[in-house]
Amino acid sequence: MMLHPYFATTLGMRCPIIQAPMAGGPTSPDLVAAVSNAGGLGCFAAAMLAPQHIEAGVTAIRARTDRAFAVNLFVLPPADPTPDVVAQALGWLAPLYEELGVPPAPPVRWCEDGAAQLETVLALRPQVVSFTFGMVDHACIERFHRAGTQVIGTATTVAEAQAWRDAGADAVCVQGAEAGGHRGTFLGSAEQSMIGTLALVPQVADAIDLPVIAAGGIMDGRGVAAVLALGAGAAQLGTAFLSCPEAPIHALWKQALAAARDDATRVTRLFSGRPARGLVNGFMDRMAEYEALVPAYPVQNALTAALRQAAARQDRADCMSLWAGQGAAMSRAVPAAELVALLSRECEQVLARLAP
């Protein structure tokens, strides 16, 4: 398969498959390394980790592969909610906390220190760093370039992709509305940024002269071939890798993926305060009246953290955040390296059928 020079030469990939960074535990060192070793690009989600855990994760990945991989960080504004906002949000969650036998209380911190995380990743000098939820400036990007690190930004609109280009990013990951997990929107409203992958990718490819990565709803080689035809140089898949044995998610989450249908997901702010697509469950239904009222990320995310952790310990899938994209019903429970090979083979077969 012919690869875009950026992915083949700069990143050393052998196939156009990128494993999405999924914060909160799914992207274990084993998963990241397996994807990179198979010729794709594994991505380590570091956004919710303390600096020492980021360093430990990168060290573990490097012990498993000598190929390129990415480290992903969030770009967040400072969080400083008023006591009234926190008390009100905890009041809405109180019945669920009581059911799970956990006292609701504000966390020690709202999120990890973003500046400390960034300095840690700079010092570690991974081949690639990617950002979502916001933008870093040109000076920051240049610091990574001087460290020998490529920079990939996340965009959900053409305007966001152009902003990353203007800041000096090396490539842009275009996230369609079908994608599982959190939306990467940082310009404009979340509602207007819900553009489907097939509509968004060609518009971004026409608007910027940078390598484009397509994400959202891609689960098999047909999807990979489709986004390559639309102008992307690689496809990023998240939900597809959640069913791999190397993804250490809760068994009930994997069972829910296996049982999912085409209409199984919904975008919600209820778990984290930021729009995110996941499998519909009891928490979403019971908290629906507060959808527009819960505090923004990372406050709501921190306020529900103990609840979600308790739900996982008690095997209560109805109160867990089961992130998944619209293609969840197409999940395949195979090892990561096997999935990369399967995706590549399927893509090649589609392209061969379409060739004149």
Side-chain angles (χ1 to χ4, degrees), residues 278-317:
L279 298 170
V280 178
N281 63 2
F283 181 91
M284 288 193 204
D285 290 337
R286 293 176 63 177
M287 293 286 292
E289 63 183 296
Y290 309 115
E291 181 68 59
L293 304 176
V294 297
Y297 192 100
V299 176
Q300 179 71 0
N301 191 65
L303 293 177
T304 65
L307 187 152
R308 289 179 281 122
Q309 291 162 5
R313 290 193 299 270
Q314 297 175 33
D315 293 332
R316 288 277 302 270

Side-chain angles (χ1 to χ4, degrees), residues 2-3 6 38 46 73 76 121 126 131 133 145 150-151 195-196 200 202 208 223 230 279 281 309 332 346:
M2 291 295 294
L3 280 183
Y6 176 77
L73 294 173
L76 296 170
V121 176
F131 293 99
F133 288 12
H145 285 166
Q150 296 285 298
V151 176
I195 306 164
L200 184 57
I208 64 171
L230 292 169
L279 298 170
N281 63 2
Q309 291 162 5
R332 295 175 284 193
E346 291 172 342

